[in-house]
Structures are given as C-alpha cells and as structure tokens.
Amino acid sequence: MGLFRKTVLIMLLTVPTSAWAQINKPSQIDEFGRVNSEEIEARLDNATIQLLNNPDSLLQFVFSRGKKDTLGSVYRLYGLMKTYLLVRKIDMKRVAVSFCEPKDQQSGQIWLVSETGPRKSCDPENITIAETTMFDLAPSATMKGIDFGCCIVDSFGPVAAGESLRGFAELLKRYPRAKGYVFSYGGTNKYLTSDSRGRNRVIRNLDTARDVAAMSRKARRILTQAGVDRNRIITKNAGYRDWGAQMEFWIVPHGGVVPKPSPNYPKKRSRK
C-alpha cells in the first residue's frame, strides 16, 4: 500500500463514525485536482467506507474539467472511478454525478448526500459547438494497450473510453444536424528493452487491422445504443500512433470542416 493511501486511511480511522451518522444536507468528504491511479483508489476507498457507514446516503461526484482539457476528459475520469466502485461492490443506485462548468484547472469533489435530501448544486457546463471540435482523445474502447500501471484502475482504459463515448453521444443528440467522427488508431505498443551488453533496443508489436476495426465497431455500437442515428456516425481506421491504441471523437456541425486523421507512425520521411 502506497504512502498516500496509508495516510488517507489512518486519517479516516481517527474520525468518529458518528460524525457522519445524520446527513440532512450535502457534506463534502473530498476535493482534488489531477490525480494519479494510486490517489484515485485511496480516495475512493475513503468514500466507500463513508458510504457504508451511512446506509441512507449517496455518493455524489462533482467534476469540472480544466479549460484547456478536452470536453470528454471528466467523463473518462468518472468512468475510472465508477468502475472501481463497481469492483468494490457498490450499488450504482447509490452514486450520482454532476458535470459542472469548467475551471482554470480540472477539479473534483466527492459529497455524501441524503437519499431524500438535496444534492450539491453547481452551474452545469453549457457546451456550445460552432465549429469542428475534438470532444476527446481517449484510450482504445476495446484493447488494454500498454500496461505499465501500478493499480487496478490502470486496466480500466476501455471502460473510461466508453464513458466518454456516451458523453459524446449526449452532445451529438443536442445537435441533430451534426456528424460524429471517430478515428481509431492502432498502437505500436512500443517499449524499450536491453541486451546482455546493456544496449537498448526499441520493440514494437503493432495492433492488427482487425484490432483497429474492432475499435471502430465498438464505438459505433456504444453511440447507437445511446440513441445516435447510425447515419450520423463516421468511423475511420486512422493508421497508427507510436504508443498504445487511441481514439479521437470529433463533432462536426452542419457545414463544418471535416477533420483528418493524424497518425504518427511510421514517421514521414523529410524531403531533402
């Protein structure tokens, strides 16, 4: 167990359970900016204990993306957190989420709220699409890709991408004349190894064309299941990115510029 997680749990155990026994109004139990995998799990372990100690309560997540972040970034973060709670056997009926107007930097809060009482309010993000916009750059919705992580949530990339796609679907439904473009990039799954003499060598194991096609099919299926007409979805197998598999989601308003894929492997040879 990492130092951060140990610190959180020690602090939690020193707080009397009775402090959370009666909740008549939203009670904040956590606040954070950008978090790594270990911090996500530690904070959710804390929130889980608080929830289990208060059987008539809900967890409410309140997210604001950073102004420079993609529109879908907070959906992916929530996807990671929601899936971890499912692993911890938390009933999703006891979890609520609010996506609020952006701030200078990404932020999140976790509140304990009564099942029958008020929720934490915020100004929801009002997304206006006037030109072609990339909704998100996400991991593959089908493949784990490169796994150098330390924690359970590091394997949740496909689930996080699916959560972002569902957020993308809701935006597309608000703009019925817009088109949704999904670019699927296979990964080279690049890693560095060394031989017995200490010489470094780059290894690449490229995803197959079938793998990339599966990414596009999965994205289309998620979008149509969320209520987007198939005729409004354009999927493309977009080449390779020199790392793990990725997906781009673009919304193109009526008359907007059609985006182009931007693979970076193999590198283009410069002209002499």
Side-chain angles (χ1 to χ4, degrees):
M1 183 182 293
L3 178 60
F4 181 87
R5 179 172 293 184
K6 288 182 179 178
T7 303
V8 169
L9 293 178
I10 291 172
M11 291 175 63
L12 176 63
L13 293 173
T14 60
V15 177
T17 304
S18 60
W20 306 103
Q22 298 294 327
I23 301 175
N24 297 314
K25 61 181 181 179
S27 177
Q28 185 175 340
I29 60 175
D30 202 358
E31 184 169 14
F32 48 87
R34 296 194 183 279
V35 283
N36 61 32
S37 299
E38 185 181 16
E39 291 170 337
I40 288 174
E41 294 187 5
R43 293 177 186 279
L44 292 179
D45 287 342
N46 175 12
T48 298
I49 294 173
Q50 301 285 7
L51 184 67
L52 295 178
N53 285 342
N54 293 275
D56 296 325
S57 66
L58 305 175
L59 286 179
Q60 181 185 0
F61 291 85
V62 178
F63 294 112
S64 292
R65 68 180 178 88
K67 291 180 179 178
K68 295 183 179 180
D69 295 333
T70 61
L71 299 173
S73 58
V74 285
Y75 290 89
R76 278 187 284 113
L77 177 58
Y78 176 59
L80 293 178
M81 292 187 165
K82 182 174 71 172
T83 307
Y84 185 77
L85 292 175
L86 285 169
V87 171
R88 294 292 305 273
K89 309 299 184 184
I90 298 300
D91 185 349
M92 285 298 104
K93 293 180 180 178
R94 300 188 66 190
V95 178
V97 62
S98 299
F99 297 106
C100 308
E101 62 181 7
K103 299 181 179 180
D104 290 338
Q105 301 293 330
Q106 176 184 291
S107 69
Q109 298 174 344
I110 306 177
W111 293 75
L112 206 58
V113 300
S114 170
E115 287 184 337
T116 57
R119 305 286 174 89
K120 173 62 180 174
S121 62
C122 71
D123 294 325
E125 180 170 16
N126 182 23
I127 300 174
T128 301
I129 301 297
E131 60 185 10
T132 298
T133 302
M134 187 173 72
F135 182 83
D136 203 8
L137 171 63
S140 163
T142 58
M143 296 179 286
K144 290 184 178 181
I146 301 172
D147 185 10
F148 290 148
C150 66
C151 306
I152 296 174
V153 296
D154 292 319
S155 65
F156 295 163
V159 182
E163 196 71 29
S164 180
L165 276 166
R166 282 181 278 274
F168 184 45
E170 293 305 310
L171 183 60
L172 284 170
K173 288 189 288 185
R174 284 179 48 201
Y175 290 87
R177 299 184 71 190
K179 299 268 188 187
Y181 282 73
V182 177
F183 295 155
S184 299
Y185 297 93
T188 65
N189 304 300
K190 172 183 175 182
Y191 67 94
L192 191 67
T193 187
S194 59
D195 59 21
S196 58
R197 298 182 181 180
R199 294 175 298 189
N200 291 331
R201 188 161 61 103
V202 174
I203 303 296
R204 292 180 173 90
N205 294 313
L206 274 65
D207 296 321
T208 67
R210 180 178 296 181
D211 292 332
V212 180
M215 293 165 57
S216 295
R217 288 196 302 271
K218 180 67 175 291
R220 182 180 290 275
R221 184 163 62 251
I222 290 173
L223 291 173
T224 54
Q225 288 175 346
V228 180
D229 191 296
R230 292 181 63 89
N231 294 328
R232 298 177 56 207
I233 305 166
I234 296 91
T235 59
K236 290 188 177 182
N237 298 351
Y240 285 88
R241 289 278 174 86
D242 197 17
W243 193 245
Q246 292 181 321
M247 308 180 79
E248 288 180 348
F249 314 141
W250 293 82
I251 181 168
V252 181
H254 181 67
V257 177
V258 174
K260 295 181 180 180
S262 55
N264 62 15
Y265 183 86
K267 291 182 178 180
K268 292 183 179 180
R269 294 181 179 180
S270 60
R271 295 182 179 180
K272 294 183 180 179

